[in-house]
Amino acid sequence: MTDIASEAASRAAGILSRPAVINGLTVPNRLVMAPMTRQFSPDGIPGEDVVSYYGRRAAAGVGLIVTEGTYVGHPSAGQSDRVPRFHGEEQLAGWARVAEAVHAAGGTIVPQLWHIGMVRKQGEPPFPEAPAVGPSGLRIGESEPTGRAMTRQDLDEVIGAFAEAAAAAERIGFDGVELHGAHGYLIDQFLWAGTNRRTDAYGGDPVARTRFAAEIVAAVREAVSPDFPVIFRYSQWKQDAYDARLAETPEELEAILTPLAAAGVDAFHASTRRYWIPEFDGSDLNLAGWTRKLTGKPAITVGSVGLNGDFIEAFQGRGAELGGLDDLLDRLERDEFDLVAVGRALLQDPHWAQKVLAGRFDELAPYDPSSLRTLS
C-alpha cells in the first residue's frame, strides 16, 4: 500500500470508527445498514436465513442495522405476504432471534415500522379484504380518490398499531425503532400536499400535515421507555415523483421537523438518492445536514454511498460503479451529520463495512444486481 493509500485508509478508519450516541444508545461506529425490502419472509415470519443475513453484517462491522420495512398490525398496512410483519407470535419470535444474533455479533438493531397506505391495491395480501387507506384516498399522481380517506377511527387504529409494534420491539430486545415516514408511504402521504387534501386538523399547512406523524411519534414515545431511541425516516422525493418536495426552503423544513422533534424523535434518517447533492440553494448542506442544523438531533445520511449511480437504477436491473468516500468523510469530519446509511453496497457484500473500516478499498466491488441470487 502506498503512503497516500495508507493515509486515506487511516483517515477513513479514524472517522468512521468513532462511536455515536442516540438517546443513550451507543452505536459502535458511524455505519448504518439502510432498510431494504427483501420479501424473504413467507407468511411475514423472518426465518433462520433472515437471522443469518443480519447477523453476518453485524459481525462484519455494521454499527447499527435498520431492518427492512416491517408491517405494523393494521390490516391495510401491507401488500405482500413475504414482507415481514412486526406483529403476531411467530413473527415476533423470529424477530427476537434476529436481535439476539445481531447483539451476539456486537451490533445494534432497530426495526423499521411501516404502513404503506395508498400504495396498497385492493385484494393484495396479506389481508386481501382490507381497503387501501390514506389521508385523502389519493395515490401519487391521481386527481380523484381510488381508496378511502381515513376516519378518526382509522387514525386511532394506525397510531395504536405503531405504538404496539414499538412496545413489542423493546420487549423482545431491539435497541430502538425507526418509523417509516418517507418515499410516499402512509405517514409521508399525510406530510405531502400532493396526497393530503384534508380540510380537518390533519390537512392544510405544513404544520397541520405533520399532526398525524407527530401523534404516532408521541404514542410510540409513550409506549416505550424514555431512553429507548425513536428514529424517524423522511424524504423529499416520493415513489413515481422523484422531484416532489415537502419543503422548498429551510424555514419550511423547520416547520415540519420541529413538531416531530417535540413529539419525541431522537434522530432523523434523511433519505436522499445522492447524499452529495445540496438540499437548498446557497448552502452545501445536504438534507441530513439541514436536519441536524435545524433540530439539533442526530442525523443519518443516505444515498448512493460508495457508489456513483442512483439506487433507482437498481430497480431497472442496472449496476453502479464504485464512488469515492472522500467527500463523505469531509462531511462527517465537520459534523454535517452523524451517521451514514449504506444500502446496495451492503446488500451485495456483507463484509463491506469491515473492508472500509480496515481501509481495504481495493477489495470493494462495483454494484452488480445480477450477483444477488439469494439472501446472504
Side-chain angles (χ1 to χ4, degrees), residues 6-27:
S6 178
E7 182 179 342
S10 177
R11 179 174 182 246
I15 293 172
L16 294 171
S17 295
R18 296 176 300 164
V21 177
I22 303 175
N23 188 20
L25 171 68
T26 299
V27 180

Side-chain angles (χ1 to χ4, degrees), residues 161-172:
F162 273 94
E164 289 171 14
E170 184 172 26
R171 185 174 68 249
I172 65 175

Side-chain angles (χ1 to χ4, degrees), residues 66-77:
V66 182
T67 74
E68 61 210 280
T70 69
Y71 298 148
V72 297
H74 184 262
S76 299

Side-chain angles (χ1 to χ4, degrees), residues 131-314:
V133 299
S136 304
L138 288 168
R139 291 190 173 88
I140 292 171
E142 290 182 338
S143 58
E144 296 296 329
T146 55
R148 194 180 82 204
M150 293 174 72
T151 64
R152 178 69 258 181
Q153 181 178 341
D154 293 327
L155 297 174
D156 290 342
E157 288 174 354
V158 170
I159 291 168
F162 273 94
E164 289 171 14
E170 184 172 26
R171 185 174 68 249
I172 65 175
F174 279 78
D175 298 297
V177 293
E178 177 171 283
L179 309 179
H180 196 340
H183 307 164
Y185 295 113
L186 179 64
I187 295 175
D188 196 21
Q189 289 161 23
F190 274 84
L191 295 176
W192 188 43
T195 43
N196 185 344
R197 308 287 175 80
R198 297 176 76 99
T199 57
D200 62 3
Y202 295 89
D205 64 31
V207 175
R209 296 197 304 271
T210 306
R211 180 170 177 168
F212 179 59
E215 289 185 356
I216 289 175
V217 172
V220 165
R221 182 79 276 158
E222 182 68 23
V224 298
S225 300
D227 59 352
F228 191 71
V230 176
I231 303 169
F232 189 90
R233 195 179 211 212
Y234 81 100
S235 66
Q236 298 262 43
W237 67 272
K238 322 296 170 201
Q239 290 187 68
D240 302 321
Y242 300 133
D243 59 350
R245 297 178 70 80
L246 295 179
E248 295 291 347
T249 66
E251 292 75 20
E252 290 179 0
L253 184 61
E254 186 174 23
I256 294 166
L257 298 181
T258 298
L260 298 175
V265 170
D266 297 303
F268 288 93
H269 189 171
S271 178
T272 57
R273 295 163 62 198
R274 305 174 186 88
Y275 79 86
W276 55 86
I277 302 296
E279 195 55 43
F280 301 113
D281 291 341
S283 169
D284 290 335
L285 292 177
N286 71 3
L287 186 61
W290 274 109
T291 299
R292 190 180 193 273
K293 178 182 177 70
L294 294 171
T295 68
K297 300 287 186 179
I300 304 169
T301 198
V302 69
S304 303
V305 171
L307 301 171
N308 67 1
D310 194 307
F311 81 94
I312 299 299
E313 296 172 353

Side-chain angles (χ1 to χ4, degrees), residues 66-101:
V66 182
T67 74
E68 61 210 280
T70 69
Y71 298 148
V72 297
H74 184 262
S76 299
Q79 63 182 352
S80 169
D81 204 30
R82 294 183 60 83
V83 167
R85 302 199 283 273
F86 216 83
H87 59 97
E89 184 176 348
E90 290 182 274
Q91 288 82 1
L92 292 177
W95 281 119
R97 290 191 291 274
V98 171
E100 183 179 9

